[in-house]
Amino acid sequence: MNKLYQLQQLDKKLNRFKNVKEGFIPKKGWLATIREALCMTQSQLATRLHYSKAAIGKIEESEAKETIKIETLKKVANELDCDLFYIILPKKNSLMDLIKSRAEKIARNSIMDVAKHMSLEDQAALEEIKEQTEALTDELLHNNLKNLWDYEV
């Protein structure tokens, strides 16, 4: 299957989560936030998990510090009758935007290395550079996707 097509299909799935932004995670973490919303104390949760109250405090603290194990987060979430989902989202709008941006940077750097020897004041030369950059970007996207990560940008 075409890699760009696979990328576009993954982007469609990830697009459902595009509104998840920084600040989405409560400052004290989801476990404490949901536990408190359920009017459950740390002691009550500890009893359900057969942990000490201190252990629950450490777990909630580790989630807030982003050092919690996914396995632990899932176990406690389950005891709160919740499901755990985690997702990695691209910083740009989509994975396709990320790939296109990288391909364009590589192409631009490559073409500009050659263009340094040309007269950049010449409008025809500038247009030629733009066309070559677009062509190389297209070539990278359609024939060399896996090589995009071999270049410094």
Side-chain angles (χ1 to χ4, degrees):
M1 186 182 300
N2 179 305
K3 291 293 183 188
L4 285 178
Y5 176 75
Q6 289 175 333
L7 194 64
Q8 289 168 339
Q9 294 307 303
L10 181 54
D11 270 342
K12 284 182 183 179
K13 289 179 182 178
L14 294 176
N15 194 42
R16 294 181 221 159
F17 303 98
K18 70 180 178 183
N19 292 327
V20 177
K21 303 284 184 198
E22 279 188 45
F24 177 72
I25 299 172
K27 189 174 185 174
K28 58 185 167 185
W30 284 112
L31 295 178
T33 300
I34 290 175
R35 178 186 54 73
E36 291 170 2
L38 294 172
C39 299
M40 183 187 297
T41 66
Q42 283 185 339
S43 294
Q44 290 169 324
L45 181 57
T47 300
R48 295 171 60 98
L49 286 162
H50 308 289
Y51 290 174
S52 67
K53 179 183 175 193
I56 296 301
K58 287 181 180 179
I59 288 170
E60 289 180 353
E61 183 181 329
S62 69
E63 183 199 2
K65 290 181 177 177
E66 300 179 353
T67 59
I68 194 167
K69 288 183 177 181
I70 293 174
E71 173 186 23
T72 303
L73 191 58
K74 187 173 186 174
K75 183 175 183 175
V76 178
N78 189 56
E79 204 54 50
L80 292 169
D81 202 22
C82 294
D83 291 319
L84 170 70
F85 294 92
Y86 68 91
I87 187 167
I88 298 173
L89 296 171
K91 291 178 182 177
K92 297 190 179 288
N93 290 332
S94 67
L95 294 172
M96 194 64 183
D97 286 349
L98 188 152
I99 290 289
K100 282 181 182 177
S101 175
R102 184 163 183 87
E104 287 169 356
K105 285 178 186 175
I106 292 167
R108 191 176 319 108
N109 290 348
S110 179
I111 298 300
M112 289 310 290
D113 283 345
V114 173
K116 286 179 184 175
H117 303 292
M118 298 170 63
S119 171
L120 295 180
E121 295 173 7
D122 181 2
Q123 185 63 33
L126 290 175
E127 195 59 38
E128 179 69 21
I129 289 169
K130 182 180 176 188
E131 289 173 12
Q132 287 178 0
T133 301
E134 289 172 1
L136 183 53
T137 298
D138 192 56
E139 170 69 23
L140 288 166
L141 287 172
H142 290 92
N143 298 318
N144 291 309
L145 267 183
K146 67 180 179 180
N147 296 333
L148 287 179
W149 306 105
D150 293 337
Y151 299 94
E152 286 288 326
V153 289

PDB file of all heavy atoms in Angstrom, residues 34-72:
ATOM      1  N   ILE A  34     -10.545  12.783  38.542  1.00  0.00           N
ATOM      2  CA  ILE A  34     -11.713  11.902  38.398  1.00  0.00           C
ATOM      3  C   ILE A  34     -12.111  11.310  39.749  1.00  0.00           C
ATOM      4  O   ILE A  34     -13.297  11.252  40.084  1.00  0.00           O
ATOM      5  CB  ILE A  34     -11.446  10.812  37.343  1.00  0.00           C
ATOM      6  CG1 ILE A  34     -11.410  11.479  35.964  1.00  0.00           C
ATOM      7  CG2 ILE A  34     -12.503   9.708  37.409  1.00  0.00           C
ATOM      8  CD1 ILE A  34     -11.041  10.580  34.825  1.00  0.00           C
ATOM      9  N   ARG A  35     -11.125  10.910  40.537  1.00  0.00           N
ATOM     10  CA  ARG A  35     -11.419  10.371  41.873  1.00  0.00           C
ATOM     11  C   ARG A  35     -12.224  11.387  42.682  1.00  0.00           C
ATOM     12  O   ARG A  35     -13.254  11.052  43.277  1.00  0.00           O
ATOM     13  CB  ARG A  35     -10.117   9.995  42.593  1.00  0.00           C
ATOM     14  CG  ARG A  35     -10.338   9.480  44.006  1.00  0.00           C
ATOM     15  CD  ARG A  35      -9.046   9.240  44.749  1.00  0.00           C
ATOM     16  NE  ARG A  35      -8.144  10.379  44.799  1.00  0.00           N
ATOM     17  CZ  ARG A  35      -8.318  11.477  45.543  1.00  0.00           C
ATOM     18  NH1 ARG A  35      -9.397  11.595  46.308  1.00  0.00           N
ATOM     19  NH2 ARG A  35      -7.435  12.459  45.534  1.00  0.00           N
ATOM     20  N   GLU A  36     -11.761  12.630  42.673  1.00  0.00           N
ATOM     21  CA  GLU A  36     -12.462  13.686  43.410  1.00  0.00           C
ATOM     22  C   GLU A  36     -13.847  13.959  42.823  1.00  0.00           C
ATOM     23  O   GLU A  36     -14.810  14.194  43.563  1.00  0.00           O
ATOM     24  CB  GLU A  36     -11.620  14.960  43.438  1.00  0.00           C
ATOM     25  CG  GLU A  36     -10.380  14.821  44.301  1.00  0.00           C
ATOM     26  CD  GLU A  36      -9.409  15.987  44.164  1.00  0.00           C
ATOM     27  OE1 GLU A  36      -9.702  16.956  43.424  1.00  0.00           O
ATOM     28  OE2 GLU A  36      -8.338  15.917  44.800  1.00  0.00           O
ATOM     29  N   ALA A  37     -13.964  13.931  41.498  1.00  0.00           N
ATOM     30  CA  ALA A  37     -15.274  14.147  40.858  1.00  0.00           C
ATOM     31  C   ALA A  37     -16.260  13.055  41.252  1.00  0.00           C
ATOM     32  O   ALA A  37     -17.470  13.296  41.342  1.00  0.00           O
ATOM     33  CB  ALA A  37     -15.116  14.202  39.337  1.00  0.00           C
ATOM     34  N   LEU A  38     -15.741  11.856  41.515  1.00  0.00           N
ATOM     35  CA  LEU A  38     -16.584  10.734  41.941  1.00  0.00           C
ATOM     36  C   LEU A  38     -16.843  10.755  43.457  1.00  0.00           C
ATOM     37  O   LEU A  38     -17.482   9.844  43.990  1.00  0.00           O
ATOM     38  CB  LEU A  38     -15.920   9.405  41.551  1.00  0.00           C
ATOM     39  CG  LEU A  38     -15.793   9.128  40.059  1.00  0.00           C
ATOM     40  CD1 LEU A  38     -14.956   7.875  39.818  1.00  0.00           C
ATOM     41  CD2 LEU A  38     -17.162   8.996  39.412  1.00  0.00           C
ATOM     42  N   CYS A  39     -16.323  11.789  44.123  1.00  0.00           N
ATOM     43  CA  CYS A  39     -16.447  11.917  45.580  1.00  0.00           C
ATOM     44  C   CYS A  39     -15.831  10.709  46.304  1.00  0.00           C
ATOM     45  O   CYS A  39     -16.359  10.218  47.306  1.00  0.00           O
ATOM     46  CB  CYS A  39     -17.907  12.113  46.011  1.00  0.00           C
ATOM     47  SG  CYS A  39     -18.628  13.613  45.330  1.00  0.00           S
ATOM     48  N   MET A  40     -14.711  10.236  45.779  1.00  0.00           N
ATOM     49  CA  MET A  40     -14.003   9.104  46.360  1.00  0.00           C
ATOM     50  C   MET A  40     -12.728   9.631  47.016  1.00  0.00           C
ATOM     51  O   MET A  40     -12.016  10.440  46.422  1.00  0.00           O
ATOM     52  CB  MET A  40     -13.645   8.092  45.253  1.00  0.00           C
ATOM     53  CG  MET A  40     -12.969   6.828  45.760  1.00  0.00           C
ATOM     54  SD  MET A  40     -12.393   5.750  44.402  1.00  0.00           S
ATOM     55  CE  MET A  40     -13.911   5.303  43.593  1.00  0.00           C
ATOM     56  N   THR A  41     -12.449   9.165  48.210  1.00  0.00           N
ATOM     57  CA  THR A  41     -11.226   9.588  48.893  1.00  0.00           C
ATOM     58  C   THR A  41     -10.056   8.714  48.447  1.00  0.00           C
ATOM     59  O   THR A  41     -10.248   7.634  47.862  1.00  0.00           O
ATOM     60  CB  THR A  41     -11.377   9.462  50.422  1.00  0.00           C
ATOM     61  OG1 THR A  41     -11.502   8.070  50.751  1.00  0.00           O
ATOM     62  CG2 THR A  41     -12.572  10.257  50.945  1.00  0.00           C
ATOM     63  N   GLN A  42      -8.847   9.175  48.758  1.00  0.00           N
ATOM     64  CA  GLN A  42      -7.664   8.355  48.477  1.00  0.00           C
ATOM     65  C   GLN A  42      -7.744   7.045  49.262  1.00  0.00           C
ATOM     66  O   GLN A  42      -7.366   5.993  48.733  1.00  0.00           O
ATOM     67  CB  GLN A  42      -6.379   9.105  48.842  1.00  0.00           C
ATOM     68  CG  GLN A  42      -5.975  10.156  47.844  1.00  0.00           C
ATOM     69  CD  GLN A  42      -4.632  10.783  48.173  1.00  0.00           C
ATOM     70  OE1 GLN A  42      -4.162  10.743  49.307  1.00  0.00           O
ATOM     71  NE2 GLN A  42      -4.012  11.376  47.155  1.00  0.00           N
ATOM     72  N   SER A  43      -8.246   7.104  50.473  1.00  0.00           N
ATOM     73  CA  SER A  43      -8.372   5.895  51.305  1.00  0.00           C
ATOM     74  C   SER A  43      -9.326   4.883  50.669  1.00  0.00           C
ATOM     75  O   SER A  43      -9.052   3.678  50.662  1.00  0.00           O
ATOM     76  CB  SER A  43      -8.882   6.256  52.706  1.00  0.00           C
ATOM     77  OG  SER A  43      -7.931   7.027  53.385  1.00  0.00           O
ATOM     78  N   GLN A  44     -10.436   5.391  50.137  1.00  0.00           N
ATOM     79  CA  GLN A  44     -11.408   4.494  49.494  1.00  0.00           C
ATOM     80  C   GLN A  44     -10.810   3.837  48.243  1.00  0.00           C
ATOM     81  O   GLN A  44     -10.989   2.641  48.022  1.00  0.00           O
ATOM     82  CB  GLN A  44     -12.681   5.264  49.150  1.00  0.00           C
ATOM     83  CG  GLN A  44     -13.488   5.659  50.379  1.00  0.00           C
ATOM     84  CD  GLN A  44     -14.602   6.645  50.061  1.00  0.00           C
ATOM     85  OE1 GLN A  44     -14.456   7.521  49.205  1.00  0.00           O
ATOM     86  NE2 GLN A  44     -15.724   6.513  50.774  1.00  0.00           N
ATOM     87  N   LEU A  45     -10.092   4.622  47.467  1.00  0.00           N
ATOM     88  CA  LEU A  45      -9.449   4.058  46.277  1.00  0.00           C
ATOM     89  C   LEU A  45      -8.366   3.066  46.682  1.00  0.00           C
ATOM     90  O   LEU A  45      -8.242   1.995  46.064  1.00  0.00           O
ATOM     91  CB  LEU A  45      -8.867   5.175  45.399  1.00  0.00           C
ATOM     92  CG  LEU A  45      -8.185   4.737  44.102  1.00  0.00           C
ATOM     93  CD1 LEU A  45      -9.130   3.933  43.207  1.00  0.00           C
ATOM     94  CD2 LEU A  45      -7.648   5.959  43.346  1.00  0.00           C
ATOM     95  N   ALA A  46      -7.622   3.391  47.709  1.00  0.00           N
ATOM     96  CA  ALA A  46      -6.576   2.496  48.205  1.00  0.00           C
ATOM     97  C   ALA A  46      -7.171   1.148  48.614  1.00  0.00           C
ATOM     98  O   ALA A  46      -6.616   0.090  48.279  1.00  0.00           O
ATOM     99  CB  ALA A  46      -5.840   3.144  49.374  1.00  0.00           C
ATOM    100  N   THR A  47      -8.282   1.189  49.302  1.00  0.00           N
ATOM    101  CA  THR A  47      -8.947  -0.052  49.737  1.00  0.00           C
ATOM    102  C   THR A  47      -9.352  -0.889  48.529  1.00  0.00           C
ATOM    103  O   THR A  47      -9.138  -2.109  48.514  1.00  0.00           O
ATOM    104  CB  THR A  47     -10.187   0.277  50.606  1.00  0.00           C
ATOM    105  OG1 THR A  47      -9.753   1.005  51.754  1.00  0.00           O
ATOM    106  CG2 THR A  47     -10.925  -0.981  51.035  1.00  0.00           C
ATOM    107  N   ARG A  48      -9.905  -0.252  47.521  1.00  0.00           N
ATOM    108  CA  ARG A  48     -10.346  -0.968  46.307  1.00  0.00           C
ATOM    109  C   ARG A  48      -9.179  -1.628  45.576  1.00  0.00           C
ATOM    110  O   ARG A  48      -9.329  -2.688  44.983  1.00  0.00           O
ATOM    111  CB  ARG A  48     -11.084  -0.016  45.363  1.00  0.00           C
ATOM    112  CG  ARG A  48     -12.399   0.511  45.930  1.00  0.00           C
ATOM    113  CD  ARG A  48     -12.993   1.605  45.059  1.00  0.00           C
ATOM    114  NE  ARG A  48     -13.283   1.153  43.723  1.00  0.00           N
ATOM    115  CZ  ARG A  48     -14.487   0.759  43.282  1.00  0.00           C
ATOM    116  NH1 ARG A  48     -15.504   0.753  44.115  1.00  0.00           N
ATOM    117  NH2 ARG A  48     -14.644   0.378  42.039  1.00  0.00           N
ATOM    118  N   LEU A  49      -8.010  -0.987  45.636  1.00  0.00           N
ATOM    119  CA  LEU A  49      -6.824  -1.505  44.934  1.00  0.00           C
ATOM    120  C   LEU A  49      -5.924  -2.361  45.839  1.00  0.00           C
ATOM    121  O   LEU A  49      -4.922  -2.893  45.370  1.00  0.00           O
ATOM    122  CB  LEU A  49      -6.005  -0.338  44.385  1.00  0.00           C
ATOM    123  CG  LEU A  49      -6.580   0.363  43.160  1.00  0.00           C
ATOM    124  CD1 LEU A  49      -5.942   1.735  42.968  1.00  0.00           C
ATOM    125  CD2 LEU A  49      -6.367  -0.498  41.925  1.00  0.00           C
ATOM    126  N   HIS A  50      -6.281  -2.439  47.130  1.00  0.00           N
ATOM    127  CA  HIS A  50      -5.446  -3.144  48.110  1.00  0.00           C
ATOM    128  C   HIS A  50      -4.071  -2.484  48.224  1.00  0.00           C
ATOM    129  O   HIS A  50      -3.046  -3.154  48.306  1.00  0.00           O
ATOM    130  CB  HIS A  50      -5.327  -4.645  47.789  1.00  0.00           C
ATOM    131  CG  HIS A  50      -6.634  -5.320  47.598  1.00  0.00           C
ATOM    132  ND1 HIS A  50      -7.516  -5.564  48.644  1.00  0.00           N
ATOM    133  CD2 HIS A  50      -7.260  -5.768  46.474  1.00  0.00           C
ATOM    134  CE1 HIS A  50      -8.596  -6.146  48.174  1.00  0.00           C
ATOM    135  NE2 HIS A  50      -8.476  -6.280  46.863  1.00  0.00           N
ATOM    136  N   TYR A  51      -4.082  -1.147  48.199  1.00  0.00           N
ATOM    137  CA  TYR A  51      -2.881  -0.331  48.370  1.00  0.00           C
ATOM    138  C   TYR A  51      -3.040   0.480  49.648  1.00  0.00           C
ATOM    139  O   TYR A  51      -4.134   0.570  50.210  1.00  0.00           O
ATOM    140  CB  TYR A  51      -2.717   0.668  47.215  1.00  0.00           C
ATOM    141  CG  TYR A  51      -2.345   0.104  45.855  1.00  0.00           C
ATOM    142  CD1 TYR A  51      -2.305   0.944  44.754  1.00  0.00           C
ATOM    143  CD2 TYR A  51      -2.040  -1.232  45.659  1.00  0.00           C
ATOM    144  CE1 TYR A  51      -1.961   0.461  43.489  1.00  0.00           C
ATOM    145  CE2 TYR A  51      -1.695  -1.717  44.404  1.00  0.00           C
ATOM    146  CZ  TYR A  51      -1.663  -0.872  43.326  1.00  0.00           C
ATOM    147  OH  TYR A  51      -1.324  -1.336  42.093  1.00  0.00           O
ATOM    148  N   SER A  52      -1.977   1.122  50.047  1.00  0.00           N
ATOM    149  CA  SER A  52      -2.079   2.059  51.166  1.00  0.00           C
ATOM    150  C   SER A  52      -2.516   3.424  50.623  1.00  0.00           C
ATOM    151  O   SER A  52      -2.368   3.700  49.423  1.00  0.00           O
ATOM    152  CB  SER A  52      -0.734   2.193  51.877  1.00  0.00           C
ATOM    153  OG  SER A  52       0.205   2.831  51.025  1.00  0.00           O
ATOM    154  N   LYS A  53      -3.035   4.255  51.533  1.00  0.00           N
ATOM    155  CA  LYS A  53      -3.404   5.616  51.141  1.00  0.00           C
ATOM    156  C   LYS A  53      -2.171   6.360  50.642  1.00  0.00           C
ATOM    157  O   LYS A  53      -2.241   7.110  49.665  1.00  0.00           O
ATOM    158  CB  LYS A  53      -4.030   6.360  52.322  1.00  0.00           C
ATOM    159  CG  LYS A  53      -4.418   7.793  52.006  1.00  0.00           C
ATOM    160  CD  LYS A  53      -4.966   8.521  53.217  1.00  0.00           C
ATOM    161  CE  LYS A  53      -5.206   9.975  52.856  1.00  0.00           C
ATOM    162  NZ  LYS A  53      -5.451  10.803  54.019  1.00  0.00           N
ATOM    163  N   ALA A  54      -1.015   6.125  51.284  1.00  0.00           N
ATOM    164  CA  ALA A  54       0.230   6.773  50.868  1.00  0.00           C
ATOM    165  C   ALA A  54       0.612   6.363  49.438  1.00  0.00           C
ATOM    166  O   ALA A  54       1.098   7.188  48.654  1.00  0.00           O
ATOM    167  CB  ALA A  54       1.360   6.430  51.835  1.00  0.00           C
ATOM    168  N   ALA A  55       0.367   5.106  49.102  1.00  0.00           N
ATOM    169  CA  ALA A  55       0.682   4.631  47.745  1.00  0.00           C
ATOM    170  C   ALA A  55      -0.174   5.354  46.704  1.00  0.00           C
ATOM    171  O   ALA A  55       0.320   5.725  45.633  1.00  0.00           O
ATOM    172  CB  ALA A  55       0.483   3.125  47.647  1.00  0.00           C
ATOM    173  N   ILE A  56      -1.445   5.571  47.029  1.00  0.00           N
ATOM    174  CA  ILE A  56      -2.331   6.301  46.110  1.00  0.00           C
ATOM    175  C   ILE A  56      -1.829   7.730  45.949  1.00  0.00           C
ATOM    176  O   ILE A  56      -1.796   8.273  44.840  1.00  0.00           O
ATOM    177  CB  ILE A  56      -3.802   6.274  46.600  1.00  0.00           C
ATOM    178  CG1 ILE A  56      -4.347   4.853  46.613  1.00  0.00           C
ATOM    179  CG2 ILE A  56      -4.684   7.192  45.734  1.00  0.00           C
ATOM    180  CD1 ILE A  56      -4.337   4.139  45.256  1.00  0.00           C
ATOM    181  N   GLY A  57      -1.414   8.350  47.044  1.00  0.00           N
ATOM    182  CA  GLY A  57      -0.857   9.704  46.971  1.00  0.00           C
ATOM    183  C   GLY A  57       0.357   9.751  46.059  1.00  0.00           C
ATOM    184  O   GLY A  57       0.506  10.667  45.237  1.00  0.00           O
ATOM    185  N   LYS A  58       1.232   8.753  46.174  1.00  0.00           N
ATOM    186  CA  LYS A  58       2.437   8.697  45.321  1.00  0.00           C
ATOM    187  C   LYS A  58       2.066   8.458  43.857  1.00  0.00           C
ATOM    188  O   LYS A  58       2.678   9.025  42.958  1.00  0.00           O
ATOM    189  CB  LYS A  58       3.393   7.611  45.813  1.00  0.00           C
ATOM    190  CG  LYS A  58       4.112   7.980  47.086  1.00  0.00           C
ATOM    191  CD  LYS A  58       5.070   6.887  47.524  1.00  0.00           C
ATOM    192  CE  LYS A  58       5.769   7.301  48.813  1.00  0.00           C
ATOM    193  NZ  LYS A  58       6.698   6.256  49.283  1.00  0.00           N
ATOM    194  N   ILE A  59       1.071   7.625  43.629  1.00  0.00           N
ATOM    195  CA  ILE A  59       0.617   7.354  42.256  1.00  0.00           C
ATOM    196  C   ILE A  59       0.067   8.630  41.636  1.00  0.00           C
ATOM    197  O   ILE A  59       0.420   8.982  40.502  1.00  0.00           O
ATOM    198  CB  ILE A  59      -0.429   6.214  42.236  1.00  0.00           C
ATOM    199  CG1 ILE A  59       0.249   4.870  42.527  1.00  0.00           C
ATOM    200  CG2 ILE A  59      -1.163   6.176  40.893  1.00  0.00           C
ATOM    201  CD1 ILE A  59      -0.731   3.734  42.776  1.00  0.00           C
ATOM    202  N   GLU A  60      -0.793   9.325  42.363  1.00  0.00           N
ATOM    203  CA  GLU A  60      -1.360  10.568  41.832  1.00  0.00           C
ATOM    204  C   GLU A  60      -0.267  11.607  41.615  1.00  0.00           C
ATOM    205  O   GLU A  60      -0.294  12.330  40.611  1.00  0.00           O
ATOM    206  CB  GLU A  60      -2.451  11.096  42.776  1.00  0.00           C
ATOM    207  CG  GLU A  60      -3.700  10.237  42.758  1.00  0.00           C
ATOM    208  CD  GLU A  60      -4.810  10.717  43.679  1.00  0.00           C
ATOM    209  OE1 GLU A  60      -4.590  11.670  44.463  1.00  0.00           O
ATOM    210  OE2 GLU A  60      -5.911  10.146  43.604  1.00  0.00           O
ATOM    211  N   GLU A  61       0.681  11.661  42.496  1.00  0.00           N
ATOM    212  CA  GLU A  61       1.796  12.599  42.344  1.00  0.00           C
ATOM    213  C   GLU A  61       2.647  12.232  41.121  1.00  0.00           C
ATOM    214  O   GLU A  61       3.044  13.112  40.357  1.00  0.00           O
ATOM    215  CB  GLU A  61       2.664  12.567  43.607  1.00  0.00           C
ATOM    216  CG  GLU A  61       3.802  13.550  43.590  1.00  0.00           C
ATOM    217  CD  GLU A  61       4.647  13.469  44.860  1.00  0.00           C
ATOM    218  OE1 GLU A  61       4.100  13.147  45.940  1.00  0.00           O
ATOM    219  OE2 GLU A  61       5.861  13.732  44.761  1.00  0.00           O
ATOM    220  N   SER A  62       2.886  10.942  40.918  1.00  0.00           N
ATOM    221  CA  SER A  62       3.693  10.534  39.765  1.00  0.00           C
ATOM    222  C   SER A  62       2.968  10.821  38.449  1.00  0.00           C
ATOM    223  O   SER A  62       3.605  11.154  37.448  1.00  0.00           O
ATOM    224  CB  SER A  62       4.085   9.054  39.853  1.00  0.00           C
ATOM    225  OG  SER A  62       2.978   8.207  39.685  1.00  0.00           O
ATOM    226  N   GLU A  63       1.642  10.740  38.456  1.00  0.00           N
ATOM    227  CA  GLU A  63       0.911  11.101  37.238  1.00  0.00           C
ATOM    228  C   GLU A  63       1.060  12.600  36.973  1.00  0.00           C
ATOM    229  O   GLU A  63       1.331  13.014  35.844  1.00  0.00           O
ATOM    230  CB  GLU A  63      -0.571  10.750  37.332  1.00  0.00           C
ATOM    231  CG  GLU A  63      -1.270  11.071  36.014  1.00  0.00           C
ATOM    232  CD  GLU A  63      -2.777  11.200  36.101  1.00  0.00           C
ATOM    233  OE1 GLU A  63      -3.355  11.091  37.189  1.00  0.00           O
ATOM    234  OE2 GLU A  63      -3.374  11.449  35.031  1.00  0.00           O
ATOM    235  N   ALA A  64       0.914  13.411  38.004  1.00  0.00           N
ATOM    236  CA  ALA A  64       1.030  14.865  37.843  1.00  0.00           C
ATOM    237  C   ALA A  64       2.430  15.252  37.358  1.00  0.00           C
ATOM    238  O   ALA A  64       2.583  16.203  36.598  1.00  0.00           O
ATOM    239  CB  ALA A  64       0.705  15.565  39.155  1.00  0.00           C
ATOM    240  N   LYS A  65       3.448  14.496  37.774  1.00  0.00           N
ATOM    241  CA  LYS A  65       4.834  14.766  37.362  1.00  0.00           C
ATOM    242  C   LYS A  65       5.181  14.091  36.021  1.00  0.00           C
ATOM    243  O   LYS A  65       6.303  14.220  35.550  1.00  0.00           O
ATOM    244  CB  LYS A  65       5.810  14.259  38.422  1.00  0.00           C
ATOM    245  CG  LYS A  65       5.796  15.035  39.698  1.00  0.00           C
ATOM    246  CD  LYS A  65       6.825  14.452  40.668  1.00  0.00           C
ATOM    247  CE  LYS A  65       6.906  15.224  41.947  1.00  0.00           C
ATOM    248  NZ  LYS A  65       7.867  14.598  42.890  1.00  0.00           N
ATOM    249  N   GLU A  66       4.223  13.358  35.470  1.00  0.00           N
ATOM    250  CA  GLU A  66       4.399  12.636  34.199  1.00  0.00           C
ATOM    251  C   GLU A  66       5.473  11.554  34.278  1.00  0.00           C
ATOM    252  O   GLU A  66       6.186  11.278  33.317  1.00  0.00           O
ATOM    253  CB  GLU A  66       4.697  13.609  33.049  1.00  0.00           C
ATOM    254  CG  GLU A  66       3.594  14.615  32.823  1.00  0.00           C
ATOM    255  CD  GLU A  66       3.877  15.589  31.705  1.00  0.00           C
ATOM    256  OE1 GLU A  66       4.994  15.603  31.157  1.00  0.00           O
ATOM    257  OE2 GLU A  66       2.961  16.349  31.370  1.00  0.00           O
ATOM    258  N   THR A  67       5.572  10.907  35.444  1.00  0.00           N
ATOM    259  CA  THR A  67       6.525   9.816  35.610  1.00  0.00           C
ATOM    260  C   THR A  67       5.831   8.484  35.864  1.00  0.00           C
ATOM    261  O   THR A  67       6.492   7.471  36.074  1.00  0.00           O
ATOM    262  CB  THR A  67       7.496  10.112  36.779  1.00  0.00           C
ATOM    263  OG1 THR A  67       6.746  10.282  37.985  1.00  0.00           O
ATOM    264  CG2 THR A  67       8.341  11.343  36.495  1.00  0.00           C
ATOM    265  N   ILE A  68       4.513   8.474  35.813  1.00  0.00           N
ATOM    266  CA  ILE A  68       3.741   7.267  36.097  1.00  0.00           C
ATOM    267  C   ILE A  68       3.901   6.244  34.973  1.00  0.00           C
ATOM    268  O   ILE A  68       4.064   6.603  33.796  1.00  0.00           O
ATOM    269  CB  ILE A  68       2.241   7.609  36.314  1.00  0.00           C
ATOM    270  CG1 ILE A  68       1.498   6.431  36.930  1.00  0.00           C
ATOM    271  CG2 ILE A  68       1.587   8.091  35.019  1.00  0.00           C
ATOM    272  CD1 ILE A  68       0.109   6.791  37.447  1.00  0.00           C
ATOM    273  N   LYS A  69       3.881   4.976  35.324  1.00  0.00           N
ATOM    274  CA  LYS A  69       3.895   3.910  34.318  1.00  0.00           C
ATOM    275  C   LYS A  69       2.491   3.797  33.724  1.00  0.00           C
ATOM    276  O   LYS A  69       1.493   3.926  34.446  1.00  0.00           O
ATOM    277  CB  LYS A  69       4.260   2.566  34.945  1.00  0.00           C
ATOM    278  CG  LYS A  69       5.684   2.422  35.351  1.00  0.00           C
ATOM    279  CD  LYS A  69       5.893   1.008  35.883  1.00  0.00           C
ATOM    280  CE  LYS A  69       7.321   0.742  36.249  1.00  0.00           C
ATOM    281  NZ  LYS A  69       7.484  -0.642  36.737  1.00  0.00           N
ATOM    282  N   ILE A  70       2.430   3.541  32.443  1.00  0.00           N
ATOM    283  CA  ILE A  70       1.122   3.377  31.786  1.00  0.00           C
ATOM    284  C   ILE A  70       0.357   2.230  32.428  1.00  0.00           C
ATOM    285  O   ILE A  70      -0.853   2.314  32.639  1.00  0.00           O
ATOM    286  CB  ILE A  70       1.299   3.169  30.265  1.00  0.00           C
ATOM    287  CG1 ILE A  70       1.835   4.450  29.630  1.00  0.00           C
ATOM    288  CG2 ILE A  70      -0.020   2.746  29.616  1.00  0.00           C
ATOM    289  CD1 ILE A  70       2.188   4.314  28.164  1.00  0.00           C
ATOM    290  N   GLU A  71       1.058   1.170  32.780  1.00  0.00           N
ATOM    291  CA  GLU A  71       0.438   0.007  33.425  1.00  0.00           C
ATOM    292  C   GLU A  71      -0.273   0.416  34.717  1.00  0.00           C
ATOM    293  O   GLU A  71      -1.414   0.007  34.972  1.00  0.00           O
ATOM    294  CB  GLU A  71       1.530  -1.026  33.718  1.00  0.00           C
ATOM    295  CG  GLU A  71       1.082  -2.209  34.524  1.00  0.00           C
ATOM    296  CD  GLU A  71       2.252  -3.119  34.898  1.00  0.00           C
ATOM    297  OE1 GLU A  71       3.414  -2.659  34.927  1.00  0.00           O
ATOM    298  OE2 GLU A  71       1.979  -4.301  35.179  1.00  0.00           O
ATOM    299  N   THR A  72       0.368   1.253  35.525  1.00  0.00           N
ATOM    300  CA  THR A  72      -0.225   1.725  36.780  1.00  0.00           C
ATOM    301  C   THR A  72      -1.411   2.633  36.504  1.00  0.00           C
ATOM    302  O   THR A  72      -2.468   2.508  37.142  1.00  0.00           O
ATOM    303  CB  THR A  72       0.833   2.474  37.626  1.00  0.00           C
ATOM    304  OG1 THR A  72       1.944   1.608  37.850  1.00  0.00           O
ATOM    305  CG2 THR A  72       0.259   2.942  38.944  1.00  0.00           C
TER     306      THR A  72
END
